[in-house]
Each structure stands twice: as C-alpha cells, then as structure tokens.
C-alpha cells in the first residue's frame, strides 16, 4: 500500500530546546499507528507538526504526496484531508452541537447549509449523539463532547485522522464510549495516528505501536512485540510504570 504520511528528518525546536530530533516515520494508507511514551517525549508536538499547527524547524512532512513543508504549499488545501481531535474538545460554547459540526463545512468547504446539516447529522449518528444536535456543549458529558468533536472532524471527510490523547480529559467511565467510536473508524479503514496512554486500545486496534522518548522514536513494531516484549530499557521502564499505575 502507498505511504499516506511520510516524515523525513523532522526536527522541532522551541527556543534552544529540541523537542523532535530527526524523526523518520511513514504511515501507510489504512494503517492505525499508536504513539506512546512519557510526558514531554514529543508525541503531541509530532502530531501538531503533521498538520503544521506547529511549523517544523527542519525536515519534511508529506501527506498524500503533498509536501506541507514546501514554502509554496497551500496549507488550507492540504489540511482539508487531515482531521484532528485534541485532548480538550474545543467546541464553541455559544453554538449548538449541529452548528459546531457544520461551521467549518460551510466556511472552509463552502457547502450549502442544507448539505452541511445532512452530513453533520450523518456523522453525529455515526458517533451516537444525533439526539443532542440541538443542544449546547455545556449540556453534554465529556464523552459526548469528544464524540461531537470527532463528528466535526469527520464531517470534513478527511483521509487522515490525528488523535492527541483524546480520552485524557475524560472521567474513566466515559473513556470507553470514545474508544468505541475510534475502533469503528479503524475497522472502516481510516488512517489514524493516535497519541494515547490507553495500552489496551493500542494492543487491540493498532497495526503498529511507536514508542517515543526524548524527541526520538526509540522503537516501533506490532503491538504485541512493543507492548509485551519491548527491546529498549526505556520502553521497558515506561511500560512497567504504566502497568503499575
């Protein structure tokens, strides 16, 4: 299968602090890659560099054969194929659920209201919150809000979905409902890069697990290998701490 994402010698500095130190990573179309590692290892920065929410200091980011790091690249066009779901839901509090899911469709894709509403309702149905379409975010649980955020991203019909610890802000009993939606997306063949601390999810759903520490990819491979038989001392130490928590 063709590579959908290619990161080549990716570096990112914040001032003198080098957060990403020469990342090389490819993700095939339809592949689910879970990125794990300790806090501060560069995982979230890696995701934000893929859609250029953070500008890489050096290196290339190629998505669907489109070089986002080309100075002449039209980022608005390039980003349309990339959906992103954050730790915080980032819903507009003064808009209903339906309005939250239609606004980018109408402003960015220039879809007519009727078409945007139809697509929004289809995606809200898919994530199981269609009955909340007329409500405001404050009336929803955290899990429901995160599912709305996923529907909002899916309504733009992306080829690639990025998830930055999408369950970390949720109460434990709400985590499962978000992970179920993500499992369904994986089953449908969506290309996904997921930064997560949910090891059971990574083991079950990922095609590949990438372990990062200190701005580098320390090891990567099938979930069973990386999670159950890590080769590096750093990965072993990290996973042991996770299991003991």
């Amino acid at each position: 299968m063709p590579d959908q994402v290619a990161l080549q010698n990716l570096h990112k500095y914040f001032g003198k602090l080098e957060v990403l130190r020469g990342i090389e990573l490819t993700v095939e179309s339809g592949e689910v890659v879970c990125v794990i590692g300790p806090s501060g290892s560069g995982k979230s920065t890696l995701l934000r560099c893929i859609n250029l929410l953070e500008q890489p200091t050096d290196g290339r980011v190629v998505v669907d054969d489109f070089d986002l790091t080309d100075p002449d690249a039209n980022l608005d066009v390039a980003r349309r194929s990339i959906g992103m779901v954050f730790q915080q839901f980032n819903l507009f509090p003064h808009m209903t659920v339906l309005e939250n899911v239609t606004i980018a469709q109408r402003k960015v894709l220039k879809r007519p209201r009727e078409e945007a509403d139809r697509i929004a309702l289809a995606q809200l149905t898919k994530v199981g919150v269609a009955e909340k379409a007329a409500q405001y975010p404050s009336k929803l649980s955290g899990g429901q809000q995160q599912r709305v955020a996923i529907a909002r991203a899916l309504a733009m019909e992306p080829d690639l979905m990025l998830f930055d610890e999408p369950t970390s802000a949720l109460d434990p009993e709400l985590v499962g409902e978000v992970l179920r939606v993500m499992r369904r997306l994986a089953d449908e063949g969506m290309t996904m890069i997921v930064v997560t601390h949910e090891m059971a999810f990574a083991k079950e759903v990922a095609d590949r697990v990438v372990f990062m520490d200190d701005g580098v990819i320390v090891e990567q491979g099938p979930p069973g290998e990386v999670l159950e038989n890590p080769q590096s001392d750093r990965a072993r130490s990290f996973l042991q701490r996770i299991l003991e928590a």
Side-chain angles (χ1 to χ4, degrees), residues 96 168 173 204 232 239:
T96 66
S168 66
E173 68 269 21
E204 177 188 348
S232 66
L239 289 164

Side-chain angles (χ1 to χ4, degrees), residues 168-197:
S168 66
L170 300 179
D171 293 333
E173 68 269 21
L174 302 177
V175 168
E177 62 190 57
V178 173
L179 295 182
R180 277 192 293 277
V181 170
M182 294 170 64
R183 281 190 188 92
R184 198 175 315 129
L185 289 178
D187 290 342
E188 292 171 358
M190 174 66 75
T191 310
M192 296 163 56
I193 304 176
V194 184
V195 171
T196 185
H197 286 296

Side-chain angles (χ1 to χ4, degrees), residues 89 91-97 100 132 134-142 144-145 148:
F89 323 122
L91 301 177
F92 293 111
H94 63 289
M95 293 183 178
T96 66
V97 163
N100 266 282
K132 304 293 185 183
Q135 295 194 11
Y136 289 88
S138 61
K139 300 295 185 184
L140 275 57
S141 71
Q144 290 168 336
Q145 290 188 60
V148 172

Side-chain angles (χ1 to χ4, degrees), residues 40-51:
S41 57
K43 307 184 300 297
S44 294
T45 301
L46 177 70
L47 278 196
R48 294 173 69 84
C49 282
I50 292 174
N51 64 0

Side-chain angles (χ1 to χ4, degrees), residues 21 36-42 211-218 234-235:
R21 300 163 53 202
I36 66 171
S39 297
S41 57
F211 173 72
M212 284 184 67
D213 192 18
D214 198 24
V216 299
I217 293 174
V218 178
R234 282 193 280 181

Side-chain angles (χ1 to χ4, degrees), residues 54-224:
E54 295 289 356
Q55 181 72 40
T57 307
D58 197 13
R60 296 177 73 220
V61 176
V62 181
V63 178
D64 288 332
D65 295 325
F66 194 105
D67 185 351
L68 275 74
T69 40
D70 185 324
D72 298 323
N74 185 331
L75 292 184
D76 290 336
V77 172
R79 285 192 182 120
R80 288 178 192 176
S81 69
I82 306 172
M84 186 158 183
V85 177
F86 301 86
Q87 297 177 34
Q88 304 299 329
F89 323 122
N90 296 336
L91 301 177
F92 293 111
H94 63 289
M95 293 183 178
T96 66
V97 163
L98 185 65
E99 289 167 340
N100 266 282
V101 182
T102 57
I103 184 169
Q105 296 185 65
R106 292 168 53 210
K107 299 285 189 187
V108 178
L109 301 182
K110 308 300 182 186
R111 284 176 180 157
R113 181 186 291 273
E114 189 175 309
E115 182 186 2
D117 284 355
R118 178 178 55 77
I119 290 169
L121 285 169
Q123 295 301 342
L124 289 168
T125 300
K126 183 174 187 173
V127 302
V129 289
E131 76 282 1
K132 304 293 185 183
Q135 295 194 11
Y136 289 88
S138 61
K139 300 295 185 184
L140 275 57
S141 71
Q144 290 168 336
Q145 290 188 60
Q146 191 62 294
R147 284 187 282 157
V148 172
I150 294 173
R152 176 180 58 188
L154 292 175
M156 302 296 282
E157 300 179 340
D159 299 318
L160 167 68
M161 284 288 285
L162 308 176
F163 292 88
D164 187 7
E165 298 194 26
T167 60
S168 66
L170 300 179
D171 293 333
E173 68 269 21
L174 302 177
V175 168
E177 62 190 57
V178 173
L179 295 182
R180 277 192 293 277
V181 170
M182 294 170 64
R183 281 190 188 92
R184 198 175 315 129
L185 289 178
D187 290 342
E188 292 171 358
M190 174 66 75
T191 310
M192 296 163 56
I193 304 176
V194 184
V195 171
T196 185
H197 286 296
E198 301 288 343
M199 297 303 149
F201 174 83
K203 184 176 180 181
E204 177 188 348
V205 178
D207 297 298
R208 183 162 36 121
V209 170
V210 171
F211 173 72
M212 284 184 67
D213 192 18
D214 198 24
V216 299
I217 293 174
V218 178
E219 62 179 285
Q220 59 181 303

